[in-house]
Amino acid sequence: MKTAATCLALVLLLVADLASARADAASRPRRVVSINLCSDVLALELADSGTVKSVFRVSADPEDSPVADLAKKIPLNNATAEEILAAKPDLVLAHRYSSSFTLALLARAHVPVVQVKDADSFEDIRDNVRAVAAALGHPEKGEAWIARFDASLAASKRAAPAHPLRAVIYQDLGGAAAANTILGALLEHAGFENVVKASSSGGFVNLSIEDLIEKRPDFVAVGIYRAKEPSLAHALLAHPALAEYVRRHARAVDLPAKLWTCGTPFITEIADRLAAARDGFDTPGKQARVN
């Protein structure tokens, strides 16, 4: 039987836990402004409801953003200092390449800023999730999202065979994903060999259709951005030489740009598509393009 002293100790412990929880909640930012799509995605997934007061304008566009539905009812910004300060933020989320002028003004106004970095690896994605989750006062949400991310990656992992299938990720204007990028990492993760061996600080290297065909890839993953809006940039992907090469010698899959433009846990959807495409090579017959 519990003694009165034991019961009192338990009550005091519960009161202390409640007080600590209230203190934690009070210390979390309540007026968060995000000024870059890559930080928007993380903020909208991790922040307390109603605490994100503004996000960058492209976040509400379903062609650009995997969280467009979450951004629909939130005021949009153009990442200008005037808009940010008018929202009276107690936290600003930005990118390391956000305007240095704007970031300097925020520093002078003593507004806390947390910047995400370019994610060129799976570990970079984890780092960004942890940084934003911590800034929002919810490290546990960050760890839970990372756990789901890691579980999804584990499910899409494919071992490369002795003679790996050669692949390329190709996008508008003839850009091909470099070896040192998140897309390059995803190709390797799915068991493919990237035909692009070069590294690039910009993420892509220029590859003409002639160059692509000369490399003889078995698989062409096409980065699709606003496919229904005609442009000279996108027209290259519809080049008859590319279509004929794929028809005769390769398989193809479309990768919506909104899932990979920012390296976030949403890239697991790209990993799933690549893994499914890799599995398709183990079955007889030509696999149709996957949209």
Side-chain angles (χ1 to χ4, degrees), residues 172-215:
D172 292 353
L173 292 176
N180 63 325
T181 63
I182 196 66
L183 288 175
L186 285 168
L187 275 183
E188 181 179 348
H189 177 82
F192 290 104
E193 177 189 352
N194 192 350
V195 300
V196 178
K197 306 301 182 185
S199 297
S200 170
S201 59
F204 291 85
V205 298
N206 186 62
L207 197 67
S208 69
I209 288 182
E210 292 84 357
D211 292 335
L212 184 152
I213 292 173
E214 186 178 359
K215 291 182 180 295

Coordinates of all heavy atoms in Angstrom, one line a residue, residues 172-215:
D172 N 15.1 19.6 -67.8 CA 15.0 20.7 -68.8 C 16.4 21.3 -69.1 O 17.2 21.3 -68.2 CB 14.1 21.8 -68.2 CG 12.7 21.4 -68.1 OD1 12.3 20.3 -68.6 OD2 11.9 22.2 -67.6
L173 N 16.6 21.7 -70.3 CA 17.8 22.4 -70.7 C 19.0 21.4 -70.8 O 20.1 21.8 -70.9 CB 18.2 23.6 -69.9 CG 17.2 24.8 -70.0 CD1 17.6 25.9 -69.0 CD2 17.3 25.4 -71.4
G174 N 18.7 20.1 -70.7 CA 19.8 19.1 -70.8 C 20.7 19.0 -69.6 O 21.8 18.6 -69.7
G175 N 20.1 19.3 -68.4 CA 20.9 19.1 -67.2 C 20.8 17.7 -66.7 O 19.7 17.1 -66.7
A176 N 21.9 17.1 -66.3 CA 21.9 15.7 -65.8 C 22.5 15.7 -64.4 O 23.4 16.4 -64.1 CB 22.8 14.8 -66.7
A177 N 21.8 15.0 -63.5 CA 22.2 15.0 -62.1 C 23.6 14.5 -61.9 O 24.0 13.4 -62.4 CB 21.2 14.1 -61.3
A178 N 24.4 15.3 -61.2 CA 25.8 15.0 -61.0 C 25.9 13.9 -59.9 O 25.0 13.6 -59.2 CB 26.6 16.2 -60.5
A179 N 27.1 13.3 -59.8 CA 27.3 12.2 -58.9 C 27.2 12.6 -57.4 O 26.9 11.8 -56.6 CB 28.7 11.6 -59.2
N180 N 27.6 13.9 -57.1 CA 27.6 14.3 -55.7 C 26.3 15.0 -55.3 O 26.4 15.8 -54.3 CB 28.8 15.3 -55.6 CG 28.6 16.6 -56.4 OD1 28.1 16.5 -57.5 ND2 29.1 17.7 -55.8
T181 N 25.2 14.7 -55.9 CA 23.9 15.3 -55.5 C 23.0 14.3 -54.8 O 23.2 13.1 -54.9 CB 23.3 15.9 -56.7 OG1 22.9 14.8 -57.6 CG2 24.2 16.9 -57.4
I182 N 21.9 14.8 -54.3 CA 20.9 13.9 -53.7 C 20.3 13.0 -54.8 O 20.0 11.8 -54.5 CB 19.8 14.7 -52.9 CG1 19.1 13.8 -52.0 CG2 18.9 15.4 -53.9 CD1 19.8 13.2 -50.9
L183 N 20.1 13.5 -56.0 CA 19.6 12.7 -57.0 C 20.6 11.6 -57.4 O 20.2 10.4 -57.7 CB 19.2 13.5 -58.3 CG 18.0 14.4 -58.1 CD1 17.8 15.3 -59.3 CD2 16.7 13.6 -57.8
G184 N 21.9 11.9 -57.5 CA 22.9 10.9 -57.7 C 22.9 9.9 -56.6 O 23.1 8.7 -56.9
A185 N 22.7 10.3 -55.4 CA 22.7 9.3 -54.3 C 21.5 8.4 -54.4 O 21.6 7.2 -54.1 CB 22.6 10.1 -53.0
L186 N 20.4 9.0 -54.9 CA 19.2 8.2 -55.1 C 19.3 7.1 -56.2 O 18.8 6.0 -56.0 CB 18.0 9.1 -55.4 CG 17.4 9.8 -54.2 CD1 16.4 10.9 -54.7 CD2 16.7 8.9 -53.2
L187 N 20.0 7.5 -57.3 CA 20.3 6.5 -58.3 C 21.1 5.3 -57.7 O 20.8 4.1 -57.9 CB 21.1 7.1 -59.5 CG 20.3 7.8 -60.5 CD1 21.2 8.3 -61.6 CD2 19.2 6.9 -61.1
E188 N 22.1 5.6 -57.0 CA 23.0 4.6 -56.4 C 22.2 3.8 -55.4 O 22.3 2.5 -55.3 CB 24.2 5.2 -55.7 CG 25.1 4.2 -55.1 CD 26.4 4.8 -54.5 OE1 26.6 6.0 -54.7 OE2 27.1 4.2 -53.7
H189 N 21.3 4.4 -54.6 CA 20.5 3.8 -53.6 C 19.6 2.8 -54.2 O 19.4 1.7 -53.6 CB 19.7 4.9 -52.9 CG 18.7 4.4 -51.9 ND1 19.1 4.1 -50.6 CD2 17.4 4.1 -51.9 CE1 18.0 3.6 -49.9 NE2 17.0 3.6 -50.7
A190 N 19.1 3.1 -55.4 CA 18.2 2.1 -56.1 C 18.9 1.1 -56.9 O 18.2 0.3 -57.6 CB 17.2 2.9 -57.0
G191 N 20.2 1.0 -56.8 CA 21.0 0.0 -57.5 C 21.4 0.3 -58.9 O 21.8 -0.6 -59.7
F192 N 21.3 1.6 -59.3 CA 21.8 2.0 -60.6 C 23.2 2.5 -60.6 O 23.7 3.0 -59.5 CB 20.9 3.0 -61.2 CG 19.5 2.5 -61.6 CD1 18.4 2.8 -60.8 CD2 19.3 1.8 -62.7 CE1 17.1 2.4 -61.1 CE2 18.0 1.4 -63.1 CZ 16.9 1.6 -62.2
E193 N 23.8 2.6 -61.7 CA 25.1 3.3 -61.9 C 24.9 4.6 -62.7 O 24.3 4.5 -63.8 CB 26.1 2.4 -62.7 CG 27.4 3.1 -63.0 CD 28.3 2.3 -63.9 OE1 28.0 1.2 -64.2 OE2 29.3 2.9 -64.3
N194 N 25.2 5.7 -62.1 CA 25.0 7.0 -62.7 C 26.0 7.1 -63.9 O 27.2 7.0 -63.7 CB 25.2 8.1 -61.7 CG 24.7 9.5 -62.2 OD1 24.4 9.6 -63.4 ND2 24.7 10.4 -61.4
V195 N 25.6 7.4 -65.1 CA 26.5 7.6 -66.2 C 27.3 8.9 -66.1 O 28.3 9.0 -66.8 CB 25.8 7.5 -67.6 CG1 25.1 6.2 -67.8 CG2 24.8 8.7 -67.8
V196 N 26.8 9.8 -65.3 CA 27.5 11.1 -65.1 C 28.4 10.9 -63.9 O 28.0 10.7 -62.7 CB 26.5 12.2 -64.8 CG1 27.2 13.5 -64.5 CG2 25.5 12.4 -65.9
K197 N 29.7 10.9 -64.1 CA 30.7 10.6 -63.1 C 31.2 12.0 -62.5 O 31.8 11.9 -61.4 CB 31.9 9.9 -63.7 CG 31.5 8.6 -64.4 CD 30.8 7.6 -63.4 CE 30.5 6.3 -64.1 NZ 29.7 5.4 -63.3
A198 N 30.9 13.1 -63.2 CA 31.4 14.3 -62.7 C 30.7 14.8 -61.5 O 29.5 14.5 -61.3 CB 31.4 15.4 -63.8
S199 N 31.3 15.7 -60.7 CA 30.7 16.4 -59.6 C 30.3 17.8 -60.1 O 30.9 18.3 -61.0 CB 31.6 16.4 -58.4 OG 31.8 15.1 -57.9
S200 N 29.4 18.4 -59.4 CA 29.0 19.8 -59.7 C 28.5 20.5 -58.5 O 27.6 20.0 -57.8 CB 27.9 19.8 -60.8 OG 27.4 21.1 -61.0
S201 N 28.9 21.7 -58.3 CA 28.4 22.5 -57.2 C 27.0 23.0 -57.4 O 26.3 23.2 -56.5 CB 29.3 23.7 -56.9 OG 29.4 24.5 -58.1
G202 N 26.6 23.0 -58.7 CA 25.2 23.4 -59.0 C 24.2 22.2 -59.1 O 23.1 22.4 -59.3
G203 N 24.7 21.0 -58.9 CA 23.9 19.9 -58.9 C 23.7 19.2 -60.2 O 23.4 18.0 -60.3
F204 N 23.8 19.9 -61.3 CA 23.6 19.3 -62.6 C 24.8 19.7 -63.5 O 25.5 20.7 -63.4 CB 22.3 19.8 -63.3 CG 21.1 19.3 -62.6 CD1 20.6 19.9 -61.5 CD2 20.5 18.1 -63.1 CE1 19.4 19.4 -60.9 CE2 19.3 17.7 -62.5 CZ 18.8 18.3 -61.4
V205 N 25.1 18.8 -64.5 CA 26.1 19.0 -65.5 C 25.4 19.0 -66.9 O 24.3 18.4 -67.0 CB 27.2 18.0 -65.5 CG1 28.0 18.0 -64.2 CG2 26.6 16.6 -65.8
N206 N 25.9 19.8 -67.8 CA 25.2 19.9 -69.1 C 25.5 18.6 -69.9 O 26.6 18.2 -70.0 CB 25.7 21.1 -69.9 CG 24.9 21.3 -71.2 OD1 23.7 21.5 -71.2 ND2 25.6 21.2 -72.3
L207 N 24.4 18.1 -70.4 CA 24.5 16.9 -71.2 C 23.6 17.0 -72.4 O 22.4 17.0 -72.3 CB 24.1 15.6 -70.4 CG 24.6 14.3 -70.9 CD1 26.1 14.1 -70.8 CD2 23.9 13.2 -70.0
S208 N 24.2 17.1 -73.6 CA 23.3 17.2 -74.8 C 22.7 15.9 -75.1 O 23.1 14.8 -74.5 CB 24.2 17.6 -76.0 OG 25.1 16.6 -76.4
I209 N 21.7 15.8 -75.9 CA 21.1 14.6 -76.2 C 22.1 13.6 -76.9 O 22.1 12.4 -76.7 CB 19.8 14.8 -77.1 CG1 18.7 15.4 -76.2 CG2 19.4 13.5 -77.8 CD1 17.4 15.6 -76.9
E210 N 22.9 14.2 -77.7 CA 24.0 13.4 -78.4 C 24.9 12.8 -77.3 O 25.3 11.6 -77.4 CB 24.8 14.3 -79.3 CG 24.1 14.8 -80.6 CD 23.2 16.0 -80.3 OE1 23.2 16.5 -79.2 OE2 22.6 16.5 -81.3
D211 N 25.3 13.6 -76.3 CA 26.1 13.1 -75.2 C 25.4 12.0 -74.5 O 26.0 10.9 -74.1 CB 26.5 14.2 -74.3 CG 27.4 15.2 -74.9 OD1 28.1 14.9 -75.8 OD2 27.4 16.4 -74.4
L212 N 24.1 12.2 -74.2 CA 23.4 11.2 -73.5 C 23.3 9.9 -74.2 O 23.6 8.8 -73.6 CB 21.9 11.7 -73.2 CG 21.0 10.8 -72.3 CD1 20.0 11.7 -71.6 CD2 20.3 9.8 -73.2
I213 N 23.0 9.9 -75.5 CA 22.9 8.7 -76.3 C 24.3 8.0 -76.4 O 24.3 6.8 -76.3 CB 22.4 9.0 -77.7 CG1 20.9 9.5 -77.6 CG2 22.5 7.8 -78.6 CD1 20.3 10.0 -78.9
E214 N 25.3 8.8 -76.5 CA 26.7 8.2 -76.5 C 27.0 7.4 -75.3 O 27.8 6.4 -75.3 CB 27.7 9.3 -76.8 CG 29.1 8.8 -77.0 CD 30.1 9.9 -77.2 OE1 29.7 11.1 -77.3 OE2 31.3 9.6 -77.5
K215 N 26.4 7.8 -74.1 CA 26.7 7.1 -72.9 C 25.9 5.8 -72.7 O 26.1 5.1 -71.8 CB 26.4 8.1 -71.7 CG 27.5 9.2 -71.6 CD 27.2 10.1 -70.4 CE 28.2 11.2 -70.3 NZ 29.6 10.7 -70.1

